[in-house]
Amino acid sequence: MFFDYQRNQEGSITDFSYTSAEETPNRKPRLLVIDDEESVCNFLSDFLSKEYECLTATSADEAFKILEEEKFAIILSDINLPDKNGIELARKIKEETPDTVVVMISGKADLESAINAIRAGAFDYIQKPFDLDNLEVSIKRALEHHLSLVGKRKYEEHLKRLIEQRTEEADHFLWYDTLTDLPNRFLFEDRLTQAIEQARYNKTIIATVLISINQLKRVYSILGTKHGDAVLREFVSRVKKCLSPGETLARFDDEFAILMVTIDREQQVIELIEEIKSALRKPIKLYDEEILLTISAGISIFPNDCRNAQEALKNASIALEKAKEEGGDNWLFFTSDLTEKSLNRLKMEMDLRRAIESDEFELHFQPKVDISTGKIIGAEALIRWNKPKVGMISPADFIPLAEETGLIIPLGNWVLRKAFTQCRLWMDKKKGFTVGVNLSAHQLREKNFVEKVNQLINETGVDPNLLEFEVTETILLKDPKESATILSELRELGIKILIDDFGTGYSSLSYLKSLPLDGLKIDKSFIQGISAKDQGGAEFIVAIVTLAHTLRLKVVAEGVEREEELNLLRLVRCDEAQGFLFGKPMLPEMFANFWS
């Protein structure tokens, strides 16, 4: 079977071309005539042979023997055969060769039987005596229907293969970083847990090393995403050459982790770090630029510093932060006297509690646009901490702490009430304007959370159909069944559910199909820097959009900053976008002026 299709500039399928194997361009469409009167078979065969390759059979059994060996586009059959009636014939052909189109020949007395045959799977019927013009038209319509069936089936098979391929790629992201193909945090923690259990049993020691590239942010800021990624890949290549068999290198966003399971003394860890530093002394050449990289490293040792994988990573992180505070290009082992970070964390927690009580937070809104029309159709609510005498504090600095301490619950309640109230104020000014709110794992697991949301809806008078809750993949996968239950209850209230930062967690087609979702937001790391020339990045976006639309999910692109990015998103038929290209997060009164 041969099949192809064409797309227009927006990516829509505009034309199909398909030809079955039995109907190649040099061969006429094949037609089988079945009638117990040989004279009728010969007449129809002679009449139609100019346009069709015709074979004949005088019984159903004879016809099915022919069908075992050969395929036909159309079967033209008498409704009454000596060994089988038309209803049985149509049903059997429909089951065995679904692309073959059956047209029944019926006498006036058999009209009701012909209609029943159509219900059983026949496409049309022709009455005796034959009107030759009607006969030609009916056969032509049957051929067009056959080609439509072939095309539809081939397109579905093509789409199924594409989904299977993209699903395999998406499942790979469950375990590996998309840029470097290194194990991600999820896989690394799994290996670290196993290594600790083995070391505990064998009474051996293992080392967990966290590494930060001191110039990483500056490299990306100056060189841009594409060249920054090239530098990162070269860094990974050099580090890999320093590792021994059995050692694992992983990427945690801006940091890298090394698991050493074959050491018998701590000096081996120092030797590895010095070897990596030595490998980086040779500049990385990128076009006319020479980039020098240095690293900071934090080390924790099992069983001296930790009891499990979480403590190993936490303590290595404490040591890394201390190494960076001392100027970078340095390494430190974790020790119990590294308390400065813990004290700073405690101070931040106390300040955060006071900030909640003193209402030091602000809710900013970032525009979201319909890509096809360019119109602003909604906004994402983003919390900001405006600390007196200090100024704005990044959410990245206080949200993780809020989650660790449980303060995310009162903070989340404040965000929900503010967002619902603002959405209600905008309801009368801009019809259909949606507001998105991020949910944390603690909120989603909070007892009576759905009832609390419903109560807020009633108190603020907001239309729940204008609300969108954004949840990350990591949160959902911790307990998929419980997540599905809670999200279903929220959707029953009218709220839309979107996956946030899609692609950075454990993306898998299986949970997209099983969870009650309305859309997904592609993480900005996949958007920034893409263009039609960036084949790899563009193909990934196409894969996500294709999967989402197949599952009837809308797709929102985050972090759009350039027209070139927007043009590609428009080309692949992404639905919505947000980013600095359309506007930065702003206070609601500024936002109202922005879109009014």
Side-chain angles (χ1 to χ4, degrees), residues 32 60 101 104 141 154 156-157 179 187 222 235 248 252 264 285 295 306 309 319 346 371 419 429 441 487 539 583:
L32 177 62
V101 178
M104 287 295 175
R141 286 179 58 244
K154 281 300 171 182
E156 289 173 349
E157 290 174 357
L179 175 63
L187 179 55
I222 296 173
F235 168 82
T248 296
F252 298 175
D264 50 24
K285 293 184 178 181
I295 62 170
C306 55
L346 180 60
I371 291 179
K429 295 182 180 181
L487 296 182
E539 286 181 350

Side-chain angles (χ1 to χ4, degrees), residues 79-99:
I79 190 70
N80 289 316
L81 295 170
D83 49 350
K84 197 174 293 289
N85 64 38
I87 295 176
E88 295 177 82
L89 179 71
R91 185 178 292 115
K92 188 171 179 63
I93 292 174
K94 185 74 173 177
E95 291 173 355
E96 297 187 1
T97 56
D99 291 341

Side-chain angles (χ1 to χ4, degrees), residues 201-242:
Y201 178 79
N202 294 330
K203 301 188 182 307
T204 55
I205 63 174
I206 64 173
T208 303
V209 184
L210 282 184
I211 294 175
S212 175
I213 302 173
N214 297 319
Q215 299 80 10
L216 186 62
K217 290 184 178 178
R218 191 161 68 250
V219 165
Y220 273 93
S221 175
I222 296 173
L223 300 181
T225 301
K226 182 179 179 181
H227 294 161
D229 287 348
V231 171
L232 202 62
R233 291 191 190 97
E234 176 61 23
F235 168 82
V236 169
S237 175
R238 295 189 186 187
V239 174
K240 279 183 174 180
K241 293 176 182 177
C242 301

Side-chain angles (χ1 to χ4, degrees), residues 540-554:
F540 182 76
I541 301 301
V542 170
I544 292 179
V545 173
T546 300
L547 284 173
H549 285 174
T550 301
L551 297 170
R552 302 180 185 277
L553 303 176
K554 77 171 181 179

Side-chain angles (χ1 to χ4, degrees), residues 84-130:
K84 197 174 293 289
N85 64 38
I87 295 176
E88 295 177 82
L89 179 71
R91 185 178 292 115
K92 188 171 179 63
I93 292 174
K94 185 74 173 177
E95 291 173 355
E96 297 187 1
T97 56
D99 291 341
T100 300
V101 178
V102 178
V103 178
M104 287 295 175
I105 301 171
S106 169
K108 290 184 178 180
D110 297 319
L111 185 57
E112 184 177 348
S113 298
I115 292 173
N116 290 332
I118 289 175
R119 290 172 179 165
F123 175 71
D124 201 354
Y125 68 89
I126 301 170
Q127 285 186 270
K128 295 179 182 179
F130 301 118

